[in-house]
Structures are given as structure tokens and as C-alpha cells.
Amino acid sequence: KLMDAVAPLRSTSTALTNKRSYSSEDREYLHKSIVPTMHYQKSLPRLPVPKLEDTIKRYLAAQRPLLDDDQFSTTEKLARDFENGVGKQMHEELVAQDKQNKHTSYISAPWFDMYLSARDSVVLNFNPFMSFNPDPKTEYNNQLVRATNMVASAVRFMKTLRAGLLEPEVFHLNPAKSDTDSFKKLIRWVPSSLSWYGAFMVNAYPLDMSQYFRLFNATRIPKQGKDELFTDPKGRHLLVMRGGNMYVFDVMDRDGNLVEPAEIQAHLKHILSDPTPAAAHPLGLLTSENRDTWARLREKLLATGNGEVLGLVDSALFCLCLDDENMNDHIHISHNMLHGDGTNRWYDKSFSIIMAKCGNAAINFEHSWGDGVAVLRFQNEVFKDSTENPLVNPGSQPAAVDSASAVRRLQFNLDAELENGVIKAKENFHTAVSKLTIDAMQFMKGGKEQLKKKKLSPDAIAQLAFQMGFLRQYGQTVATYESCSTAAFRHGRTETIRPATIHTQRCAQAFVQQPGKHSVEQLIGMLSECSKYHGQLTKEAAMAQGFDRHLFAMKYLANSKGQALHSLYQDPAYAAINHNILSTSTLTSPAVNLGGFAPVVPNGFGVGYGVHDEWIGCNVSSYPERNVHEFLQCVHKSLEDIFSVLEGKPLS
């Protein structure tokens, strides 16, 4: 998948030595790309609208393992009727509309609309987290030192991006040809309107970077019915939260230069030692509310004279949450970084860096403005820069500056209605998060290396293990979602890979329900079938040739025109395939320790996973309707069976 393939970003930044004097101009930037950041943006190919017959064929193939013969025959009739009738017309309207909007993609507006119109809390329903690996130099994992270095690196990333000096995001299929200085020196002279073709000639795929501008100084603003995205690139200040209190201070001077790192350290130290008690009514809790409730309370906040302070929160570069507790294990980290206790977060910021007392760090991000690609690139660069070129060290002394006047603690006027709103938000928050269970598993008997030797796709095998695990636990095959980035296209977002297939169903049944029936060769043959088919689905999705976004866009178009929906959309099977009981997403990156998100439906699992060279890890969440511990045991057993068979041992 593109998103994963982009993960181990080959950053071209040269390692800066710590001896360099701070005044050196290079200290303002992570690196200086010879190819301008947005060089490829103009010439990116447009997101294709799939052919209607392909969409219907793919839709039916994905429905087949989920339905019995009678149900499938009904669904097939509806789909054919749609394809030959009203679907044709809807598809043509979509294509015509797409031709009139050449500057964007057919999915962009409906996708923003879907996210921003959703009224559920962003906590658990939308915001995911990705936690940083610890700094390899243990003594740098001190809360103050690490927070200072990450803030400085984040500002440097932002400055590099805005100056157009950030290396463009490119997926290199043949890095020896395309990820070279000689190629870059050549391509920078190719006009922007043609540059994509130049990269394509050497098997390199530039990715859409239109989301990047919303990383900084951005927030989601609650409004009745539909939220808005707000960005103010003029803000030079950082928002810091501690104990539910909110603070701001400038991290850039008037000329837009990074403030001395020792000053940032002094200001953060001042906040960490501020004796002000924890906020009695922590306003951040309101960002965890139902969006209409929060919109009403925000109007009230503005009416009671809090406009200026809210403006500072919204326009801050990003949010840094300094937590007062130590994290003792993966599960604790996951709960804290995914939701925390609600008091020390502002979930609407485009992203927050959360820094625990023990130096464990993570990014929690609001999902409407963008996808994992932009956030992961930021995380990779910040991790690399803050660990390789730290601007302060454990022995550094904070600058002797007047932090008391440079740091401002934000104060809000709250009346009884607002205080009650916070109390109610806290109750709702605790009710929601208390239902969530998270568990993690590490399978240590093999990973990417062995699978590739056997010519199997590592992602396909991980997905197959989830299908086997669910079949072992619940005896059925259910709707499964795997996200895939379509960033290879202008304003692409994501497409869905549908990992539950007739091949995985057949293979899972053979492994789980008929273990003695098949020879090792037959089982390996089935694994190979699953792998090939999954590989094809993945390629199709990355090339925007899935069925989910196309059907969604036609439905959205019909709704926006007030047209009645065809019975394909009323079919219980359509509702069922969009009720994703297994929602999965994968990430492997040198910067990321683990990632996670909540299930997307009450009776589902939220499966974050990574296939590493020698092992496979899963971080899975569920609500009370499902048993996550048992699910992980079943997945573990499935992986054991698969790897045993690959070693030539028959299933017992």
C-alpha cells in the first residue's frame, strides 16, 4: 500500500552536527531540497472515476463471501438492475461533474463533507494516534528535553515546508534511479506542468501534498450541522496544555525565525513547574462532545467574551500536551494517546504532540483535514531530526529569560451553563471511553523476511490471519475494511481494500474447520492464491480502482440533488458491507512504535498492525460486544498455523 510504502521515508537531510552554532541559517530548516516541495503538484494525474461495470463486478466479488446463495442472488439482481438502469445515468452525471472540476478530485468534496457533517464525537470515532519510538539515547527521553527538541524540530519542519524546501513526497519504485542527486538536478528544470511525467519515466510516483498546509495553525471549528476547517498561517505561538490548563508562547520571533531552543526549554520548564492547580472546568473536554452540543457551547463561549482566547487556541501552530503521568506498558500508552482522560487535550487541533512524564510521545490527529500520509511524513521527519540533531541535551541549561511574562496562561470566563457543559462532557466522555478495551499482541516466530522468501505478500498474510482469527472465534466471515492511500493522484484521499474474499474464506475454512483434510502442498497453494488476489486488490485500490468511493460518490450526488436512491443502496447487504466489523490499518516506520484507533462500529474491532522483518504486531480495540483478548489469541494461533505450514509441517 502506498501509505506503508511511503513510511520509511528516505529523507535527504544531511545529519547536522551538534557543534554547529545556532545562528547558522541551516538551523532554521530540516534540509534544503533542490526540487521545490510542490514541484510535482500541478502535473499530478487526476483521480480516475472507475468504469461502472468494473465497480459492479468488484462490488459483487466483495459481497460473495459475506452472503449465502439466496442473499447473493438478490444482491446480484439489484446490482445488475442498477448497472443497466439508473446507475448508468448517475455514473455519467458524476463523470460530467468531474470534468467541470479539473482542479480537484471527484472524491475530495464529498469526503470532506462526510467528515465535517458527522455529529459524533471525534474522540474514538475519528481521531487516531501514532506513538513515537523512544529516543535511542535513553537520557534524551526526559519530558522537558524531548518536548523541547520535538517542538524545535516541528517548527523547522513547518519552516522547511513553507519555504518550499521540504523534499517532495515521492514513492520510489527504483530509488537507485530516481532518489539521486543527478535525477533531482535534472527534474527541477522540467516545468511543473510536466514534472510528474519525468518522474514516472524513472518509475517514481510523486504524491499529492495538498493536505500539508493544514498541518499547522489549523483546527476544526464546531458548527451546527457541519463543522468548518480553520487555518491562520500568521500564528507564531504554540499551545501547551498541562493539568487541563492552557498556555501559549511564541516559538518564532517577529522575523519568523525559530526562537532560541534554550528559551523554548525555559518556557516549557516554567509551565511544568507552574503551581496553578489543575483546571476545575477543563475546557478541552468540550472538544470531545457531540459536535452540535459543542457548537452550541462554543457560541456561548464567544458570547461570554472568550473570542480572543479561543482565537489563540485555534491559530496556534499545534498543541503540545504535557501529561503528568508515567506510561508503564503498550496498553496504557494506547489508552492515553488515543483518548486520555479528556482534560488535557484539544481534540480539534489538526494534530497534538502528547508527551508523558516518562518521555513517551505520540501524535493524536483530527482526521477530516487529511490522511496518514502527511502526518506520517511529519512524524518521521520530527523523529529523525529530534534524535539525530537535538538542539538541547540533558545537560543544557534553560535560558535565563523572563518566562513568567513570555508565557501566558489562558483564562476563560465561564458561566453556570458552560461549567455544567464541561461537567456533562466529562460524564459523556467517561461513559464512552470506559467501554473501550485495548489489547496488543506480538507474534515473534516470523515476519516479512520469511514471507517474502516464500513469495507471499506480508500484508496479505496478516489480513488472512485476521480472517482466520475471526472465523475461529465467531464462526463467520464479516465485512472487513483496509485503508489504502490514493495520494498518487491530485487530491486523492483513500480507497478501501476488501480483504475478506472467497480465497481467504476458503483458506480460513481449510485451516480452522478442516485442519486434517488438506496436505501441506494444498494449504501452501491456498496461501499463495490469497496472496496473489490480495496483491491485485491492493494495486487496484492504490490506482483508485476499488468500488467503495465510486458507489459512495454516486450516492452522495443523488442525495445532493434530492433524487431517490436506487434499491441497491437500500439492500441490507449494502448496509452490511459498509458496517465494517473488522476495520484495519497498517503502519511500519522507523519513527512509529505503535498506532491505534477505536472500532468504527459498536460490534467491531479496530485493528492497527505492522508486519516487521522478523515479527508481526497488532494493537486491537473493541467494545463490550466483542472479546479482544480472545480475538488476539485466535489471530496468534492462525499465524502459528500459517508459519508451521510454510515450514512444511502438516496441521495437527
Side-chain angles (χ1 to χ4, degrees):
K1 280 188 332 198
L2 278 171
M3 178 164 164
D4 314 329
V6 172
L9 287 166
R10 286 172 280 274
S11 163
T12 51
S13 55
T14 45
L16 298 168
T17 57
N18 289 336
K19 295 184 189 112
R20 267 228 189 112
S21 70
Y22 173 64
S23 60
S24 150
E25 220 239 314
D26 283 349
R27 270 299 166 90
E28 296 294 316
Y29 303 107
L30 292 183
H31 54 246
K32 293 186 174 177
S33 170
I34 49 181
V35 183
T37 309
M38 302 307 259
H39 187 55
Y40 298 108
Q41 195 66 26
K42 251 192 195 148
S43 59
L44 281 176
R46 299 200 60 224
L47 187 77
V49 180
K51 291 183 178 144
L52 183 62
E53 59 268 31
D54 290 346
T55 288
I56 297 301
K57 187 177 82 198
R58 290 176 183 130
Y59 171 66
L60 289 172
Q63 283 285 18
R64 186 62 274 210
L66 307 178
L67 304 172
D68 65 28
D69 292 349
D70 289 349
Q71 292 167 325
F72 183 74
S73 132
T74 307
T75 292
E76 190 174 28
K77 278 197 192 83
L78 292 172
R80 295 292 171 219
D81 183 65
F82 178 76
E83 181 185 0
N84 300 316
V86 69
K88 232 185 210 136
Q89 182 193 337
M90 285 166 78
H91 171 75
E92 281 162 15
E93 281 180 36
L94 183 67
V95 170
Q97 187 188 60
D98 182 51
K99 281 197 175 124
Q100 288 167 352
N101 291 292
K102 291 203 165 134
H103 62 286
T104 185
S105 70
Y106 78 89
I107 201 63
S108 187
W111 213 238
F112 274 122
D113 199 35
M114 173 205 65
Y115 271 122
L116 295 171
S117 303
R119 300 291 81 196
D120 295 328
S121 164
V122 294
V123 183
L124 301 189
N125 296 301
F126 297 105
N127 287 29
F129 83 91
M130 299 192 289
S131 74
F132 284 94
N133 272 317
D135 191 307
K137 302 183 293 296
T138 342
E139 67 279 16
Y140 279 80
N141 291 306
N142 161 289
Q143 186 178 31
L144 177 59
V145 172
R146 198 171 196 203
T148 306
N149 282 321
M150 281 197 175
V151 167
S153 295
V155 174
R156 284 153 52 87
F157 179 95
M158 187 271 302
K159 291 200 61 186
T160 312
L161 169 68
R162 288 189 181 162
L165 297 171
L166 188 72
E167 190 76 21
E169 188 69 69
V170 179
F171 175 47
H172 298 276
L173 276 177
N174 183 356
K177 258 187 163 174
S178 55
D179 200 6
T180 64
D181 279 349
S182 51
F183 175 72
K184 288 170 190 169
K185 282 176 182 152
L186 183 71
I187 197 75
R188 68 177 169 166
W189 297 112
V190 176
S192 276
S193 53
L194 300 170
S195 55
W196 181 86
Y197 301 95
F200 176 72
M201 303 293 276
V202 290
N203 238 345
Y205 293 86
L207 303 184
D208 178 77
M209 294 181 77
S210 62
Q211 296 172 3
Y212 280 60
F213 83 97
R214 283 213 172 91
L215 265 168
F216 299 99
N217 303 103
T219 197
R220 174 173 173 160
I221 308 269
K223 297 276 182 183
Q224 291 294 333
K226 183 183 169 183
D227 294 352
E228 284 170 13
L229 293 172
F230 166 88
T231 310
D232 175 12
K234 293 190 293 293
R236 302 197 310 265
H237 59 285
L238 176 69
L239 170 67
V240 183
M241 298 187 71
R242 179 168 173 261
N245 291 309
M246 302 163 89
Y247 306 81
V248 292
F249 65 84
D250 284 352
V251 285
M252 294 193 298
D253 63 22
R254 292 228 161 85
D255 303 323
N257 296 319
L258 176 66
V259 164
E260 286 282 346
E263 266 183 53
I264 295 175
Q265 188 181 8
H267 298 338
L268 292 176
K269 187 179 179 185
H270 168 80
I271 292 169
L272 284 168
S273 49
D274 181 13
T276 307
H281 295 93
L283 266 200
L285 276 161
L286 296 182
T287 63
S288 74
E289 260 292 9
N290 164 286
R291 302 306 291 176
D292 283 336
T293 306
W294 170 207
R296 185 176 54 74
L297 290 166
R298 187 184 161 97
E299 286 303 314
K300 181 80 189 163
L301 273 168
L302 293 169
T304 45
N306 296 293
E308 187 251 349
V309 271
L310 276 174
L312 287 170
V313 172
D314 297 338
S315 62
L317 268 170
F318 61 93
C319 179
L320 171 69
C321 307
L322 297 172
D323 285 1
D324 283 334
E325 56 181 321
N326 291 307
M327 303 286 116
N328 38 26
D329 58 45
H330 275 358
I331 311 302
H332 191 176
I333 290 173
S334 294
H335 279 290
N336 189 60
M337 304 313 191
L338 182 61
H339 54 78
D341 69 358
T343 61
N344 205 42
R345 302 284 182 271
W346 195 267
Y347 300 104
D348 288 355
K349 281 304 278 180
S350 56
F351 74 89
S352 299
I353 292 182
I354 302 165
M355 182 72 64
K357 201 178 181 86
C358 51
N360 260 309
I363 288 179
N364 178 300
F365 67 99
E366 197 281 308
H367 217 322
S368 65
W369 65 270
D371 304 302
V373 180
V375 182
L376 185 63
R377 170 72 186 275
F378 169 74
Q379 186 157 3
N380 282 331
E381 297 275 6
V382 165
F383 180 75
K384 183 179 164 59
D385 188 59
S386 64
T387 55
E388 292 177 12
N389 319 308
L391 298 184
V392 301
N393 62 54
S396 301
Q397 282 309 307
V401 288
D402 180 9
S403 291
S405 56
V407 177
R408 172 177 170 192
R409 184 164 62 83
L410 301 182
Q411 305 207 300
F412 294 85
N413 305 320
L414 304 182
D415 60 12
E417 187 192 341
L418 286 164
E419 288 182 352
N420 286 334
V422 173
I423 292 165
K424 189 84 185 88
K426 188 171 189 168
E427 287 166 13
N428 294 341
F429 179 90
H430 284 296
T431 304
V433 301
S434 65
K435 293 183 182 140
L436 187 79
T437 306
I438 299 178
D439 198 4
M441 172 213 85
Q442 291 182 329
F443 174 80
M444 304 309 289
K445 297 178 189 171
K448 206 180 279 181
E449 296 289 324
Q450 276 115 301
L451 295 171
K452 285 193 162 161
K453 274 188 196 132
K454 302 282 182 188
K455 300 195 165 36
L456 294 172
S457 145
D459 190 56
I461 296 304
Q463 287 288 347
L464 175 63
F466 305 145
Q467 294 300 318
M468 281 186 196
F470 198 89
L471 184 71
R472 189 180 296 276
Q473 189 179 7
Y474 295 105
Q476 64 185 131
T477 299
V478 290
T480 308
Y481 179 106
E482 179 183 0
S483 60
C484 178
S485 169
T486 49
F489 301 93
R490 186 182 317 158
H491 295 188
R493 294 288 308 236
T494 58
E495 182 51 270
T496 308
I497 301 169
R498 291 290 184 173
T501 67
I502 50 171
H503 305 284
T504 60
Q505 189 174 43
R506 200 176 298 144
C507 188
Q509 284 167 348
F511 269 80
V512 175
Q513 293 168 337
Q514 314 142 349
K517 262 196 178 168
H518 304 269
S519 69
V520 167
E521 290 70 33
Q522 287 173 316
L523 292 170
I524 290 177
M526 287 183 196
L527 292 174
S528 173
E529 270 304 290
C530 290
S531 174
K532 270 201 214 84
Y533 192 70
H534 187 79
Q536 179 196 326
L537 290 179
T538 304
K539 261 197 206 94
E540 286 174 359
M543 291 289 106
Q545 296 295 321
F547 67 83
D548 282 271
R549 300 299 174 264
H550 188 197
L551 287 178
F552 172 82
M554 289 189 286
K555 181 184 175 188
Y556 179 86
L557 187 62
N559 280 333
S560 68
K561 296 192 162 185
Q563 294 164 353
L565 287 177
H566 182 269
S567 36
L568 168 114
Y569 291 109
Q570 323 286 352
D571 181 8
Y574 180 79
I577 202 169
N578 286 296
H579 181 90
N580 290 298
I581 288 173
L582 285 168
S583 179
T584 73
S585 186
T586 178
L587 266 188
T588 42
S589 147
V592 178
N593 180 10
L594 76 166
F597 48 92
V600 295
V601 293
N603 63 338
F605 288 114
V607 184
Y609 65 102
V611 184
H612 306 272
D613 287 346
E614 305 296 338
W615 61 284
I616 297 169
C618 300
N619 197 31
V620 185
S621 61
S622 77
Y623 293 117
E625 278 187 58
R626 298 279 179 201
N627 183 333
V628 68
H629 314 297
E630 194 179 278
F631 175 68
L632 282 172
Q633 285 164 0
C634 292
V635 170
H636 197 279
K637 169 81 172 107
S638 305
L639 287 167
E640 280 181 351
D641 287 352
I642 292 168
F643 278 84
S644 290
V645 164
L646 291 177
E647 284 164 16
K649 298 174 192 157
L651 286 179
S652 49

